Amino acid sequence: MKFVRCVFVGSAAAMCVAAVTARGQEVLFSNSRDFETFPIGSALSDLGIDHTFVQTNQQTLDALRSQPWDLVVMRRQERFLPGFEADVLAELEAHVAAGGRLHFQMTDLENLPDGWYDLLGLEGAVDLELPLSDIEFAPPKHPSVPGGGFHALRDDTFPPDYGDALVPGVGSTVTQRFVVDQRPSTVLSRSGRVLVNGQQWDNWFASGAAGGTIGGQIRWLLRCPADLDLDGAATLADFLVFQNLFDRRDTVADVDGDGAWTVFDFLAFLNQFENGCR
């Protein structure tokens, strides 16, 4: 069932959107350009997920303050203006601390101001130069990476910033990497709730099986917590996936978020499993 919700953005305009129906999730999509289709909007559509779309710095900040969100998607061709960066960061920190999920990509990651790397689970980023390397999954293959985990990048889109190789922080998980030099391109942190793409901000394919690369990432972020194999149900197979993640000290298996992998994580996962997938 769909219904219409209006969110006030800026000082006067009201933005009316269809409320989220898929999986009962509330999704905010902030894109610094005035189109919301390829590639992320197309992936959301492929997955049947409605979303609230915002564009400007003020719209983004107002929407973040307007309500709790299950998932916030950030796709920025440029950084937030100086007068907004600190406030947006504070809202995103509160969002993630409250259990919300974040899907993040932005040019100029190597020059982010203080605080952003902590939010994103990074120690830094390194600017990419031509020619760009293709991307593959970082073994062992993570459930957030769909299909074979390989895709090619183009060299001719939106120079001079071609994206960044990521420097993961302590406890973060590398899920994808550049083929040529094996540097990380995608990192998960915050017990699997924050996903950062370093590759050029529009340089992925979107459509295809379940939204392509982006669809796989979004499905992971919006998953039922106990559904680690993404089959839509909590089953014995999820226990086996959890065991593998725990053995390799994956941030997703640090369920209680204390930075350690202990019996308490098993107990926390058991509670998630008993709650099932609604």
Side-chain angles (χ1 to χ4, degrees):
M1 178 178 178
K2 293 187 178 182
F3 60 95
V4 174
R5 179 183 68 237
C6 292
V7 178
F8 282 89
V9 294
S11 58
M15 174 180 57
C16 297
V17 296
V20 174
T21 56
R23 301 189 185 91
Q25 305 281 3
E26 295 283 348
V27 177
L28 173 66
F29 176 24
S30 173
N31 185 0
S32 56
R33 291 289 165 148
D34 60 356
F35 55 89
E36 59 174 310
T37 53
F38 181 84
I40 295 178
S42 298
L44 290 168
S45 177
D46 288 346
L47 295 173
I49 299 174
D50 293 334
H51 58 277
T52 296
F53 176 74
V54 292
Q55 179 187 350
T56 69
N57 290 257
Q58 188 66 60
Q59 288 174 348
T60 299
L61 184 57
D62 288 348
L64 287 170
R65 290 170 170 170
S66 69
Q67 66 172 74
W69 300 95
D70 295 296
L71 171 65
V72 173
V73 180
M74 289 282 172
R75 179 199 190 211
R76 311 292 298 181
Q77 190 181 351
E78 58 276 323
R79 283 167 41 187
F80 289 98
L81 295 174
F84 289 90
E85 272 187 330
D87 288 340
V88 171
L89 174 61
E91 292 299 325
L92 290 177
E93 281 281 11
H95 162 75
V96 173
R101 279 64 58 88
L102 176 63
H103 186 272
F104 192 91
Q105 34 277 311
M106 180 187 289
T107 58
D108 206 28
L109 281 174
E110 73 277 11
N111 292 317
L112 284 179
D114 292 343
W116 284 87
Y117 289 141
D118 289 339
L119 167 69
L120 302 177
L122 302 176
E123 290 186 0
V126 180
D127 204 25
L128 296 177
E129 298 179 355
L130 298 182
L132 296 180
S133 167
D134 295 333
I135 291 175
E136 63 184 0
F137 71 85
K141 187 170 176 289
H142 193 272
S144 64
V145 181
F150 176 90
H151 65 282
L153 298 186
R154 305 189 303 272
D155 284 349
D156 57 351
T157 310
F158 293 103
D161 194 308
Y162 295 96
D164 300 272
L166 304 178
V167 182
V170 175
S172 295
T173 298
V174 177
T175 61
Q176 291 179 281
R177 64 190 184 186
F178 296 102
V179 173
V180 170
D181 55 21
Q182 301 294 286
R183 292 187 296 177
S185 67
T186 304
V187 167
L188 271 175
S189 64
R190 301 291 187 98
S191 297
R193 298 197 310 274
V194 175
L195 186 150
V196 183
N197 286 303
Q199 63 267 29
Q200 192 174 359
W201 66 280
D202 71 332
N203 214 348
W204 329 291
F205 65 89
S207 296
T213 298
I214 300 170
Q217 295 177 349
I218 290 174
R219 286 179 66 235
W220 167 262
L221 292 169
L222 288 179
R223 76 195 187 284
C224 160
D227 179 22
L228 297 180
D229 63 1
L230 301 182
D231 68 351
T235 67
L236 177 61
D238 297 303
F239 270 105
L240 299 178
V241 174
F242 176 79
Q243 178 69 60
N244 290 332
L245 294 172
F246 186 91
D247 287 345
R248 69 174 191 251
R249 299 300 188 260
D250 191 296
T251 182
V252 175
D254 179 22
V255 183
D256 61 7
D258 67 353
W261 289 262
T262 67
V263 66
F264 296 107
D265 296 304
F266 276 91
L267 296 175
F269 180 73
L270 180 60
N271 286 334
Q272 292 178 344
F273 187 87
E274 289 177 343
N275 288 332
C277 297
R278 297 180 178 85

